[in-house]
Amino acid sequence: DCGRWRRWWYKDRERILIKDLKLAADRVECSAPVCVIGAGTAGIFLSQRLQKQGIRVMLLEAGDTLARRPDELDQHCVQHGIRYRGADSGRSFGLGGTSVLWGGQMLPLTPFDMATRPAVDVDAWPLSYAELAPYIHAVKQALRLPMSDDSVEAALRTRHFPNLSRLDPDFQLRLSEWLPFKTRNFAKAFAKALRMDVDLEVWLNAAVVGFEWASGPVTRITAVEARSWNGKTLVVRPEVLVVCSGALESTRLMLAFDEAAQGLVSRSGAPLGRYFADHLSVT
């Protein structure tokens, strides 16, 4: 009947647009205008926004359809000294990334977050806050977050935290926002884009293992190599590459690239891997 046909049609589309590298040919080579590494909060959100603009995106994810812990994918974080529990318990590989674990707490960036930090010898971000600010409204709208009112937030801070509000000019008290329950898991919130949109191609079990690059006036990564646990290889040649695989994994990938490229990133003064700041957690 029509309902059964529709279900099979969706299933066939899913087979086309969400691909599993471990079931592919031994070596697959392709190109794309944009390749995004990591199908977590940042990767999924960016990919579906680009797709809406008619830009074809290839999204690579090291995990499977269902999110798994790092140790289930043989991902182990070697630590020395005080153990950082978030390296194991706070991470997830698979569609949705860590959004399958979190409570949906959001805190927008401020001009202070992006400014120069002389105390730790870190320059300002290449992007200014003024360039970023116009997109905050679009993000909130897409995630169904209420539009903030600075005057209301200031009144709430003064009312509920009067002592903290006057502690020190350098101490910034900020209020976070919480995503609606339906949009917290990004794999479910953007399921339609992931499974049905022809301009968004997702590869699962595709862990990035290496890069190729070309030198010139602007040095750029020209190819990304991903591999499945059973040895299948995917090579993507993108015009633009975006790394969205989380704080630890993105840094690990870029440090590996920097080492292979003989310090190409670190020579420019980028503080790659020099500092680590976790989310503030207070019980």
Side-chain angles (χ1 to χ4, degrees), residues 157-275:
R157 289 198 299 263
T158 304
R159 178 182 175 185
H160 294 287
F161 308 99
N163 295 327
L164 290 175
S165 297
R166 297 189 296 267
L167 186 64
D168 187 280
D170 289 331
F171 180 81
Q172 293 191 1
L173 180 63
R174 298 164 61 192
L175 304 181
S176 59
E177 300 167 339
W178 296 83
L179 289 177
F181 183 78
K182 288 184 178 180
T183 58
R184 291 180 184 179
N185 183 333
F186 277 39
K188 292 183 178 180
F190 299 103
K192 182 178 179 181
L194 290 169
R195 299 182 185 280
M196 295 178 61
D197 291 330
V198 293
D199 287 325
L200 177 55
E201 184 176 320
V202 183
W203 280 87
L204 300 176
N205 293 300
V208 173
V209 295
F211 303 99
E212 293 179 14
W213 62 94
S215 299
V218 177
T219 301
R220 57 181 292 270
I221 292 176
T222 56
V224 181
E225 182 179 340
R227 200 170 296 151
S228 65
W229 58 265
N230 61 347
K232 305 296 180 68
T233 299
L234 169 67
V235 177
V236 183
R237 303 190 186 280
E239 296 174 28
V240 176
L241 173 69
V242 188
V243 182
C244 294
S245 47
L248 294 180
E249 191 65 9
S250 294
T251 305
R252 184 188 71 78
L253 287 172
M254 287 295 92
L255 283 170
F257 167 68
D258 189 55
E259 183 178 10
Q262 299 180 330
L264 183 65
V265 179
S266 53
R267 276 202 314 269
S268 67
L272 181 65
R274 286 168 50 198
Y275 306 101

